[in-house]
Amino acid sequence: MESRALSCATISSLVRLRKTTTESAYVISARSNRSVGGNLIWGRQLRPALLLEKSSPARNATGRRELLRPVCATAEGSDSAGEGKITPLGFAEKYPALITGFFFFMWYFLNVIFNILNKKIYNYFPYPYFVSVMHLLVGVVYCLVSWAVGLPKRAPMDSNLLKLLIPVAVCHALGHVMSNVSFAAVAVSFTHTIKALEPFFNAAASQFVLGQQIPLTLWLSLAPVVLGVSMASLTELSFNWTGFISAMISNISFTYRSIYSKKAMTDMDSTNIYAYISIIALIVCIPPAIILEGPQLMQHGFNDAIAKVGFTKFLSDLFWVGMFYHLYNQLATNTLERVAPLTHAVGNVLKRVFVIGFSIIVFGNKISLQTGIGTSIAIAGVAIYSYIKAKIEEEKQQMKSA
């Protein structure tokens, strides 16, 4: 009897040991599968749960939940991580063409105001070198105040970037002064007629300096643009060698400014670049203003202007013309950052249509039929250019994807 009881106890212990060993194996298997659950497919992750369900229902429920939770957590974590990376697109990313169009519109609008106010100043204060300095001085003060409040944050300057910006600033200063000399000498329409040739200078420089091949169709599409602007300005056309030569020098200077500005837009945003360009250009413009106009200004220049319009209006006009000058050039620089130099030049031509049209209205010139036809030709030329440019870019994209 004792032997039989011992035998039964031994058998019972062996059964319990086998059951415990089996359950432990299942638990170890479950933990092993849970640790690598993210690397297993769904079917294999569910198999240990099916085995545990047969051995221990109470523990199976808990074990099954523990097995499924990491899988669900992994799946949900992957989805949430993907959603975190895919941020919703902002308005600028969804509609880049509208943003670029807004830049162009504001560039045109501010430039029209600047040209009208600038010409009115020259009617009673014909000193373009000093006025050019005031334009840049107001802009520099604006930039310094913006940096002081951190809008935008000032970008650091190094010797390499300074070497890139100095030729840009010199071209900017020369083009700016020569434009003002032309504005002071002749009518606004005549200056913009000559400056409408800038796209040809820009295209030539892009091809022969930057090495960019300009198709013949794009060259031909620029012809009606220049022709139309010339026709639109004939009603206010007046010839003066000083104004003509100054405008041509301005064309060349601004062409190289656009090209070298594009090269300098690699490590710094356009707002900071233009701020540094304005500071350097101001330093370049001060000496010729003092040498060429300083004595006349001290003798009678300032007194004559104050006698005609008053001290308050004189200072106010100089301040606002400088502010509009800086803002329209800042927007022009931001626009240049978004488009190619040649596209920027064509937009510059279309801008002159607006300037000429508004100057005709403000200064009381009659709008002839020829002016309307010329404006239409200029706009049509820009449309043709845009279409050809878009087709060329589309063909390039198709060739890359092929």
Side-chain angles (χ1 to χ4, degrees):
M1 291 293 292
E2 293 178 358
S3 175
R4 186 176 180 183
L6 179 63
S7 176
C8 291
T10 302
I11 294 172
S12 177
S13 298
L14 289 175
V15 171
R16 286 196 299 270
L17 178 62
R18 184 179 180 183
K19 183 177 180 180
T20 305
T21 305
T22 304
E23 291 176 354
S24 300
Y26 288 159
V27 171
I28 294 173
S29 175
R31 289 177 180 175
S32 175
N33 281 310
R34 184 173 60 187
S35 64
V36 296
N39 296 325
L40 299 176
I41 61 174
W42 280 85
R44 291 179 182 177
Q45 288 173 330
L46 292 177
R47 284 174 186 172
L50 296 176
L51 294 173
L52 289 172
E53 186 177 359
K54 295 178 181 179
S55 60
S56 180
R59 189 176 295 179
N60 283 341
T62 306
R64 185 176 184 182
R65 284 196 297 270
E66 290 178 356
L67 284 170
L68 292 179
R69 278 175 187 168
V71 176
C72 294
T74 303
E76 291 173 1
S78 300
D79 293 341
S80 62
E83 292 175 358
K85 293 179 180 178
I86 303 175
T87 57
L89 295 176
F91 184 83
E93 289 78 12
K94 288 183 179 179
Y95 308 101
L98 290 179
I99 299 300
T100 303
F102 175 77
F103 273 96
F104 271 100
F105 171 77
M106 292 303 299
W107 175 26
Y108 292 177
F109 176 73
L110 294 173
N111 188 264
V112 166
I113 297 177
F114 162 76
N115 276 272
I116 293 173
L117 181 57
N118 200 46
K119 185 59 180 179
K120 288 184 175 182
I121 291 175
Y122 288 132
N123 288 336
Y124 68 84
F125 188 71
Y127 297 96
Y129 288 90
F130 177 80
V131 174
S132 299
V133 169
M134 293 303 300
H135 292 165
L136 295 170
L137 179 61
V138 173
V140 167
V141 172
Y142 177 89
C143 293
L144 294 177
V145 173
S146 299
W147 279 341
V149 298
L151 296 173
K153 184 178 180 180
R154 187 183 70 85
M157 172 65 66
D158 54 35
S159 58
N160 293 328
L161 186 56
L162 185 62
K163 292 178 181 178
L164 291 174
L165 291 184
I166 286 178
V168 178
V170 171
C171 292
H172 178 70
L174 182 60
H176 176 52
V177 171
M178 290 297 100
S179 294
N180 280 288
V181 170
S182 181
F183 284 133
V186 296
V188 173
S189 59
F190 178 75
T191 299
H192 281 282
T193 299
I194 304 303
K195 288 175 68 65
L197 298 174
E198 186 177 331
F200 287 103
F201 289 102
N202 204 308
S206 297
Q207 182 161 341
F208 299 114
V209 176
L210 296 180
Q212 300 175 355
Q213 187 64 33
I214 305 298
L216 179 61
T217 52
L218 282 179
W219 281 105
L220 295 176
S221 69
L222 292 172
V225 178
V226 178
L227 176 63
V229 174
S230 300
M231 290 179 61
S233 61
L234 283 176
T235 55
E236 209 179 358
L237 187 61
S238 62
F239 185 82
N240 181 293
W241 279 111
T242 300
F244 177 81
I245 295 174
S246 299
M248 291 296 289
I249 295 174
S250 176
N251 281 337
I252 299 173
S253 300
F254 284 143
T255 294
Y256 280 93
R257 181 194 67 174
S258 297
I259 292 174
Y260 291 121
S261 293
K262 199 73 173 181
K263 289 183 178 181
M265 285 180 182
T266 55
D267 299 322
M268 187 184 297
D269 62 283
S270 60
T271 303
N272 275 286
I273 284 180
Y274 183 67
Y276 283 116
I277 289 175
S278 298
I279 294 172
I280 300 172
L282 176 61
I283 297 173
V284 173
C285 288
I286 289 176
I290 295 175
I291 295 172
L292 297 176
E293 295 180 345
Q296 298 179 10
L297 289 172
M298 298 304 296
Q299 291 179 3
H300 55 80
F302 292 125
N303 293 330
D304 292 345
I306 294 173
K308 292 178 181 178
V309 298
F311 180 76
T312 302
K313 179 171 175 53
F314 177 55
L315 289 182
S316 177
D317 286 349
L318 290 178
F319 169 78
W320 283 112
V321 76
M323 182 62 69
F324 285 123
Y325 170 78
H326 176 81
L327 293 177
Y328 103 74
N329 271 283
Q330 179 63 70
L331 282 170
T333 305
N334 296 139
T335 306
L336 175 61
E337 191 178 32
R338 303 177 66 90
V339 298
L342 188 57
T343 305
H344 188 269
V346 174
N348 205 18
V349 173
L350 185 58
K351 174 204 68 179
R352 303 194 193 288
V353 176
F354 286 88
V355 173
I356 291 170
F358 278 99
S359 67
I360 290 173
I361 296 173
V362 171
F363 294 108
N365 297 330
K366 294 182 179 180
I367 302 176
S368 64
L369 178 63
Q370 187 173 351
T371 299
I373 295 174
T375 303
S376 301
I377 293 175
I379 296 175
V382 173
I384 294 172
Y385 166 82
S386 301
Y387 175 77
I388 296 175
K389 184 73 173 177
K391 295 295 292 183
I392 293 174
E393 293 297 330
E394 183 180 351
E395 292 175 0
K396 288 181 180 180
Q397 293 295 331
Q398 291 176 355
M399 292 178 61
K400 290 181 179 179
S401 59

